Amino acid sequence: MTKTNSGRFFEDYKIGQVIRHAVPRTVAEGERALYHALYPARHALYSSDEFAADCGLDGSPIDDLIAFHTVFGKTVPDISLNAVANLGYAEGRWLRPVMPGDTLRAQSEVIGLKQNSNGKSGVVYVRTQGLNQVGEPVLDYVRWVMVRKRDPDAAAPETVVPDLADAVAAEDLIVPDGLSFADYDFELAGESHRLGDYEIDEKIDHVDGVTIEEAEHMLATRLWQNTAKVHFDATNREDGKRLIYGGHVISMARALSFNGLANAQMMVALNAGAHANPCFAGDTIRAWSEVLDKAETSAPGVGAIRLRLVATKGDSANFPLKGEDGKYLPEVLLDLDYWALIPV
Amino acid sequence: MTKTNSGRFFEDYKIGQVIRHAVPRTVAEGERALYHALYPARHALYSSDEFAADCGLDGSPIDDLIAFHTVFGKTVPDISLNAVANLGYAEGRWLRPVMPGDTLRAQSEVIGLKQNSNGKSGVVYVRTQGLNQVGEPVLDYVRWVMVRKRDPDAAAPETVVPDLADAVAAEDLIVPDGLSFADYDFELAGESHRLGDYEIDEKIDHVDGVTIEEAEHMLATRLWQNTAKVHFDATNREDGKRLIYGGHVISMARALSFNGLANAQMMVALNAGAHANPCFAGDTIRAWSEVLDKAETSAPGVGAIRLRLVATKGDSANFPLKGEDGKYLPEVLLDLDYWALIPV
Amino acid sequence: MTKTNSGRFFEDYKIGQVIRHAVPRTVAEGERALYHALYPARHALYSSDEFAADCGLDGSPIDDLIAFHTVFGKTVPDISLNAVANLGYAEGRWLRPVMPGDTLRAQSEVIGLKQNSNGKSGVVYVRTQGLNQVGEPVLDYVRWVMVRKRDPDAAAPETVVPDLADAVAAEDLIVPDGLSFADYDFELAGESHRLGDYEIDEKIDHVDGVTIEEAEHMLATRLWQNTAKVHFDATNREDGKRLIYGGHVISMARALSFNGLANAQMMVALNAGAHANPCFAGDTIRAWSEVLDKAETSAPGVGAIRLRLVATKGDSANFPLKGEDGKYLPEVLLDLDYWALIPV
């Protein structure tokens, strides 16, 4: 009897199946400090307990992306150990702040299956939920991946492709209890731009670049207990490089976007996301953003801004995205669509 | 008058001498987070306060190996600054969990001395004890090292070689107060295997590999305030590599062993250990385990499993250990013998 | 309208101007753990809550240099984004310990301006103050930098060069409330040397060397939210190296100075400092110190020692500093002048 986990294959997933992922994780001030060491994160709400308290919270929450990566990491052994590709995200929402000391666990429901025409693999759609220690949901999102079949001759399941929204509707965004930007301190936050200062279709070059080292992305990826071996084992590839966890690029780009979007404080929805090209150590990551939409919320002074966040390993000043063929340019690493809360 | 510490030499040790090691250290949630960033550690009892509470503890303890490395690190300036080789460990026991906020200090008693026949060095045996802030012992172990003499003409001490047990007896294992695996959640822990599922002599390939970077092992070794210069100073060797602290390999192998031994939660004894070959940055570490013994304890649902843990920089699938000459194969880095607590 | 921060230029500064720097930061146990991972820091007062309590404090403070780097980092976007050179420090004092959980912010007053004769740049002098969450000052220091002009034709301001003390006078040093070294445990602290054991003009070679990796200095520099791009962006230079934040060298040298100055526990004044030559990954840092002055304080058993701390990327045994031309030798990285508290 083999004791190690060889992961699930395409034929192991059934519609409606609920997978309770292993290894709950308490996240606290240590994870917060490491996040600041790994990324140039400066959003004031996640940096200062005082600033967060002045915005009506009990203190500075754990970064939204720590919550995302931690929940995502738990799903890897069950969802993507045999994945060929991480295809997309949709309908992601942060539902309540994660505070230092909270313990996160995760579970996923299989909501879609579609065998590929080659019969060797298929697409699995799961809705993943992160829960805290009292069972309250802290975030959920849909993710779909291409997974290999163990047995190419296994029968194809009935095709079910979930009907997913292009974006979370502004009225479905969850604003944390008590949040208020009525007395927001723009000077301490680092920039004076409020929601009204941004125009839909406006593009912002975030200017700064960060070159990535192997040690850094491995520290980050392990921190989220994501154990996919492509990120850690240099013998997997002839050039000894390790494929960088896509979430590392997300966090790096989001942190870089402070320069121009310092007041886009809290991520509240993940509308879509594509890891356009692989990222490796030695790449220098830059980022640019595009304003896709704007909305109001019912909380005092709190608006919402929908942003496209693009990470590139080339120049960001010319806003690289797709070529004339509609495909991502080779230097583009990430195309992320999210909602953030920002003072009106 | 020189102000710096040049370390003790062989002739400076006397049987019965007690050395109180310097620099007590408070370990807390920051050290815990860093441990998760440095190693692919996923044992649930050390990851989740909730999981630990459900096992009868007050919360998630600091990893047993954080306690070991911290205590070990304190001994380096007094015991192994002039050591030629770290020869062995015996009779190690963890005596009570270290909780976040505890402060550790260490002291060692010299229990054996044996000058080498070349007259230039000798073997020093010490029993080291780690203590918490209220003076309670948290772990103890015997370690012996080969230490240079300052003066080759110094007289040889009377030879005293302590009588050390091959392994800690099962009845001498200390189970933490309150620990119970009666309601153990195997699904959250990550694997279904309980003590009864393992056979003595069974070998488990832990499959995954992690390639080590200079920055990582230096961060880890500094974190335990281990300042042996071979780990940090690239000018010590012509190739600019730094010798990796043996404890870094122990932690890496133990973390990798999660895959197949996810329920071997708590380390309670260190029976023996050999750093078979040096490890350098660029090596990809894999691990395999062998079940050496099994035992029951008096705590509800808590059994004990004695394991050989082997780290290799080559393939782990063929369980490399020793050649026909009885010597460790060149790819073997570590051969560790320990007891862990596991649900029956 | 551009949304990103392009920094201030020389002509943007006015005498008397007060700049309230952005992004307050809560520092806690995670930052403390990372400091121990990044530097071989072993001063017992910052390592152990018990040791600190035995010295009359409420617990172990955050390292004085964490406070300094955090405050310094906040000033970068406003003071040194367009700086050509970091020219000096003076009149720095730590005013009260920073405890885990404290939130730091920073503000600077422009106290001097002097346009360079080339008309393209000028020297800006600022007095920077770090404040905690209740508005108490925790440190202040004067720093001067050479900053480019946006418009070479902009009129030169009236020259104002502040009159700065060569060193903080011993009687102006602030000893933390309650601090006592009356019951100081020299054995636990790691060395037996007290103030009386040091002679003015005595030099101490700290012996140990640490080779620096790119990942490490970037983790450190980000941790202090210092975002100067020269530290992170390998495309800035043809050789792909990143200029290492001068504060990283300060912390490395100060930590190395434990070996010979283990009892120089608390930094209380920064008299002067020069980053003599740039530091790059691959450099092996060593340090030596010179005793410049000694003083008493009114606190029980607490003396003060004024030290020159020199970091070098070459040998430290010959105490390298300046050549016959009075210029720093090419291997010298740092020349720092500070006061520390030490048992009498």
Side-chain angles (χ1 to χ4, degrees):
Chain A
M1 171 189 175
T2 182
K3 295 288 199 304
T4 51
N5 174 26
S6 55
R8 282 176 174 77
F9 292 86
F10 181 66
E11 60 265 45
D12 298 327
Y13 296 95
K14 311 291 166 202
I15 294 290
Q17 182 181 6
V18 174
I19 302 170
R20 203 166 151 249
H21 303 296
V23 192
R25 172 71 172 278
T26 304
V27 288
E29 286 153 10
E31 283 75 11
R32 176 152 74 180
L34 269 160
Y35 199 82
H36 281 102
L38 290 161
Y39 308 107
R42 287 188 285 162
H43 287 92
L45 198 62
Y46 299 90
S47 176
S48 163
D49 282 342
E50 306 305 307
F51 191 96
D54 290 343
C55 292
L57 302 181
D58 290 335
S60 186
I62 295 294
D63 196 282
D64 309 310
L65 287 172
I66 295 181
F68 177 77
H69 296 320
T70 301
V71 168
F72 182 99
K74 311 243 143 294
T75 71
V76 167
D78 295 313
I79 305 297
S80 45
L81 212 61
N82 298 306
V84 186
N86 195 15
L87 298 173
Y89 306 99
E91 300 186 359
R93 289 193 307 172
W94 281 264
L95 302 169
R96 84 189 60 222
V98 176
M99 302 305 287
D102 281 359
T103 298
L104 299 180
R105 58 187 178 86
Q107 61 188 32
S108 298
E109 181 180 354
V110 179
I111 62 167
L113 289 172
K114 181 172 186 298
Q115 183 165 309
N116 287 330
S117 54
N118 65 15
K120 294 182 180 166
S121 57
V123 178
V124 179
Y125 296 78
V126 293
R127 188 179 298 274
T128 296
Q129 196 173 43
L131 303 153
N132 66 16
Q133 67 277 8
V134 292
E136 297 167 335
V138 299
L139 71 90
D140 64 16
Y141 62 93
V142 173
R143 174 189 176 210
W144 56 107
V145 293
M146 191 184 301
V147 180
R148 277 183 286 132
K149 291 173 75 174
R150 183 188 292 105
D151 171 13
D153 296 330
E158 187 186 356
T159 293
V160 176
V161 174
D163 188 25
L164 298 170
D166 287 341
V168 174
E171 58 268 28
D172 293 334
L173 300 176
I174 305 291
V175 178
D177 279 354
L179 188 74
S180 165
F181 290 156
D183 299 317
Y184 191 89
D185 188 328
F186 288 87
E187 199 176 18
L188 274 191
E191 290 181 353
S192 61
H193 326 308
R194 50 182 75 236
L195 183 60
D197 296 322
Y198 293 92
E199 302 292 332
I200 291 178
D201 295 336
E202 179 178 351
K203 291 179 180 177
I204 302 153
D205 173 17
H206 301 301
V207 180
D208 305 311
V210 174
T211 307
I212 297 193
E213 299 290 316
E214 297 281 12
E216 291 171 352
H217 76 83
M218 292 197 293
L219 287 171
T221 308
R222 272 191 295 255
L223 189 56
W224 324 126
Q225 296 178 312
N226 177 336
T227 60
K229 68 178 68 178
V230 291
H231 306 318
F232 299 104
D233 184 348
T235 65
N236 259 357
R237 292 170 51 98
E238 287 204 357
D239 62 7
K241 288 191 171 183
R242 281 135 271 178
L243 182 67
I244 290 177
Y245 162 49
H248 192 63
V249 179
I250 294 177
S251 279
M252 192 62 81
R254 162 76 176 151
L256 287 168
S257 78
F258 176 92
N259 196 353
L261 283 164
N263 297 318
Q265 292 281 356
M266 306 190 86
M267 296 182 80
V268 283
L270 178 62
N271 300 309
H275 299 289
N277 284 291
C279 179
F280 297 102
D283 289 348
T284 298
I285 298 187
R286 289 184 172 75
W288 62 270
S289 293
E290 179 181 5
V291 180
L292 300 178
D293 203 357
K294 297 166 42 169
E296 304 204 336
T297 80
S298 58
V302 179
I305 188 166
R306 185 179 160 200
L307 295 158
R308 157 175 275 166
L309 173 63
V310 177
T312 171
K313 58 183 173 182
D315 196 352
S316 55
N318 54 353
F319 308 114
L321 190 63
K322 292 179 179 177
E324 292 185 3
D325 57 3
K327 293 184 180 167
Y328 285 110
L329 293 169
E331 71 266 32
V332 173
L333 301 172
L334 173 75
D335 180 12
L336 197 79
D337 178 338
Y338 72 102
W339 281 102
L341 300 182
I342 186 170
V344 292
Chain B
M1 170 190 175
T2 180
K3 294 290 199 303
T4 50
N5 174 27
S6 56
R8 283 176 173 78
F9 292 85
F10 181 66
E11 60 265 44
D12 298 328
Y13 296 96
K14 311 291 166 204
I15 294 290
Q17 182 181 6
V18 174
I19 302 169
R20 199 164 154 252
H21 304 297
V23 191
R25 171 70 172 278
T26 304
V27 289
E29 286 153 10
E31 283 75 12
R32 177 153 74 181
L34 269 161
Y35 199 81
H36 281 101
L38 290 162
Y39 308 108
R42 286 187 286 159
H43 287 93
L45 197 62
Y46 299 90
S47 177
S48 163
D49 281 343
E50 306 306 306
F51 191 95
D54 289 344
C55 293
L57 302 181
D58 290 337
S60 187
I62 295 293
D63 196 283
D64 308 309
L65 288 172
I66 295 181
F68 176 77
H69 297 320
T70 301
V71 169
F72 182 100
K74 311 245 142 291
T75 71
V76 167
D78 295 313
I79 305 298
S80 46
L81 212 61
N82 298 306
V84 185
N86 194 15
L87 297 173
Y89 306 99
E91 300 187 358
R93 290 193 305 171
W94 280 264
L95 302 169
R96 83 190 60 225
V98 176
M99 302 304 290
D102 280 0
T103 299
L104 298 180
R105 58 188 178 84
Q107 60 188 34
S108 298
E109 181 181 352
V110 179
I111 60 167
L113 289 173
K114 182 173 184 299
Q115 182 165 312
N116 288 330
S117 52
N118 65 13
K120 295 182 180 166
S121 57
V123 178
V124 179
Y125 297 78
V126 293
R127 187 179 297 277
T128 296
Q129 194 172 45
L131 302 153
N132 66 17
Q133 67 278 7
V134 291
E136 297 167 334
V138 299
L139 71 91
D140 64 16
Y141 63 92
V142 173
R143 173 190 177 211
W144 57 106
V145 293
M146 191 184 301
V147 180
R148 278 182 287 133
K149 291 172 76 174
R150 184 188 291 106
D151 172 11
D153 296 329
E158 188 187 357
T159 293
V160 177
V161 174
D163 188 25
L164 298 170
D166 287 340
V168 175
E171 57 268 28
D172 293 334
L173 300 176
I174 305 290
V175 179
D177 280 353
L179 187 74
S180 165
F181 290 157
D183 299 318
Y184 191 89
D185 187 328
F186 289 86
E187 199 177 21
L188 274 190
E191 290 181 353
S192 61
H193 326 309
R194 52 180 74 233
L195 182 61
D197 296 323
Y198 293 91
E199 304 291 333
I200 292 179
D201 295 336
E202 179 179 351
K203 291 179 178 175
I204 301 154
D205 172 18
H206 301 301
V207 179
D208 305 312
V210 173
T211 307
I212 296 193
E213 298 290 315
E214 297 282 13
E216 291 171 353
H217 76 82
M218 292 197 294
L219 288 170
T221 308
R222 271 191 297 255
L223 188 58
W224 322 127
Q225 294 178 313
N226 178 335
T227 59
K229 68 178 68 177
V230 291
H231 306 317
F232 299 105
D233 183 348
T235 66
N236 259 356
R237 292 169 51 98
E238 288 205 356
D239 62 7
K241 287 191 170 183
R242 281 135 271 177
L243 183 66
I244 291 176
Y245 163 49
H248 192 63
V249 178
I250 295 176
S251 279
M252 192 61 81
R254 162 76 176 150
L256 286 169
S257 78
F258 176 92
N259 196 354
L261 283 163
N263 297 318
Q265 291 281 356
M266 305 190 88
M267 295 181 81
V268 283
L270 178 62
N271 300 309
H275 299 291
N277 283 290
C279 180
F280 296 102
D283 289 348
T284 298
I285 298 187
R286 289 184 172 75
W288 63 270
S289 294
E290 179 182 4
V291 180
L292 299 178
D293 203 356
K294 298 166 41 168
E296 303 205 334
T297 81
S298 59
V302 178
I305 187 166
R306 185 178 160 201
L307 295 158
R308 157 175 274 165
L309 173 62
V310 176
T312 172
K313 58 183 174 182
D315 196 351
S316 54
N318 55 351
F319 307 114
L321 189 64
K322 293 180 179 175
E324 293 185 3
D325 57 1
K327 292 183 181 167
Y328 284 111
L329 293 169
E331 70 266 33
V332 173
L333 301 172
L334 173 75
D335 180 13
L336 197 80
D337 179 338
Y338 72 103
W339 282 102
L341 301 181
I342 185 171
V344 292
Chain C
M1 169 191 176
T2 181
K3 294 289 199 302
T4 52
N5 174 25
S6 55
R8 283 177 173 78
F9 292 85
F10 181 67
E11 61 264 46
D12 298 327
Y13 296 95
K14 311 292 167 205
I15 294 290
Q17 183 181 6
V18 174
I19 302 169
R20 200 165 154 252
H21 305 296
V23 191
R25 171 72 172 276
T26 304
V27 288
E29 287 154 8
E31 283 75 11
R32 176 153 73 179
L34 269 160
Y35 199 80
H36 281 101
L38 289 162
Y39 308 107
R42 286 188 286 161
H43 287 93
L45 197 63
Y46 300 90
S47 177
S48 163
D49 281 342
E50 305 306 306
F51 191 95
D54 289 344
C55 294
L57 302 181
D58 290 336
S60 186
I62 294 294
D63 195 282
D64 309 309
L65 288 172
I66 294 181
F68 177 76
H69 297 320
T70 302
V71 168
F72 182 99
K74 312 245 142 292
T75 70
V76 167
D78 296 313
I79 306 297
S80 46
L81 212 61
N82 298 305
V84 185
N86 195 15
L87 298 172
Y89 307 97
E91 299 186 0
R93 290 193 304 171
W94 281 264
L95 302 169
R96 84 190 58 224
V98 177
M99 301 305 289
D102 280 0
T103 299
L104 299 179
R105 58 189 179 82
Q107 60 188 33
S108 298
E109 180 180 352
V110 179
I111 61 168
L113 289 171
K114 181 173 184 300
Q115 182 164 311
N116 288 329
S117 54
N118 66 13
K120 293 182 181 167
S121 57
V123 178
V124 179
Y125 296 77
V126 293
R127 187 179 297 276
T128 296
Q129 195 173 44
L131 303 154
N132 66 16
Q133 66 277 9
V134 291
E136 297 166 333
V138 298
L139 70 90
D140 64 14
Y141 63 92
V142 174
R143 173 189 176 211
W144 56 107
V145 293
M146 190 185 301
V147 180
R148 278 183 285 131
K149 291 173 74 174
R150 183 188 291 105
D151 172 11
D153 296 331
E158 187 186 355
T159 293
V160 176
V161 175
D163 188 25
L164 298 171
D166 288 339
V168 175
E171 58 268 27
D172 292 334
L173 300 177
I174 305 290
V175 179
D177 279 353
L179 188 74
S180 165
F181 290 156
D183 299 317
Y184 191 88
D185 187 328
F186 288 87
E187 199 176 19
L188 273 191
E191 290 181 352
S192 60
H193 326 308
R194 51 180 76 234
L195 182 61
D197 296 322
Y198 293 92
E199 303 292 333
I200 291 178
D201 295 337
E202 178 179 353
K203 291 180 180 176
I204 301 154
D205 172 18
H206 301 301
V207 180
D208 305 311
V210 174
T211 307
I212 296 194
E213 299 289 316
E214 297 282 13
E216 291 171 354
H217 76 82
M218 293 197 293
L219 288 170
T221 308
R222 272 191 296 255
L223 188 58
W224 322 128
Q225 295 178 313
N226 178 335
T227 59
K229 68 177 70 177
V230 291
H231 306 318
F232 299 104
D233 184 348
T235 65
N236 259 357
R237 292 169 51 98
E238 287 205 358
D239 62 7
K241 287 189 170 184
R242 281 136 269 178
L243 183 67
I244 290 178
Y245 162 50
H248 192 62
V249 179
I250 294 177
S251 279
M252 192 61 80
R254 161 78 176 150
L256 287 169
S257 77
F258 175 91
N259 196 354
L261 283 164
N263 297 319
Q265 291 283 356
M266 307 192 84
M267 295 181 80
V268 283
L270 178 63
N271 300 309
H275 299 290
N277 284 290
C279 180
F280 297 101
D283 289 348
T284 298
I285 298 187
R286 289 184 172 74
W288 63 271
S289 294
E290 179 181 5
V291 180
L292 300 178
D293 203 356
K294 296 164 44 167
E296 303 204 337
T297 80
S298 58
V302 179
I305 188 165
R306 184 179 162 201
L307 294 158
R308 158 175 275 165
L309 173 62
V310 176
T312 171
K313 58 183 174 182
D315 197 351
S316 54
N318 54 352
F319 307 115
L321 189 65
K322 292 179 179 176
E324 293 185 2
D325 57 2
K327 292 184 181 166
Y328 285 110
L329 293 169
E331 71 266 32
V332 172
L333 302 172
L334 173 75
D335 180 13
L336 197 79
D337 179 339
Y338 72 103
W339 281 102
L341 301 181
I342 185 171
V344 293

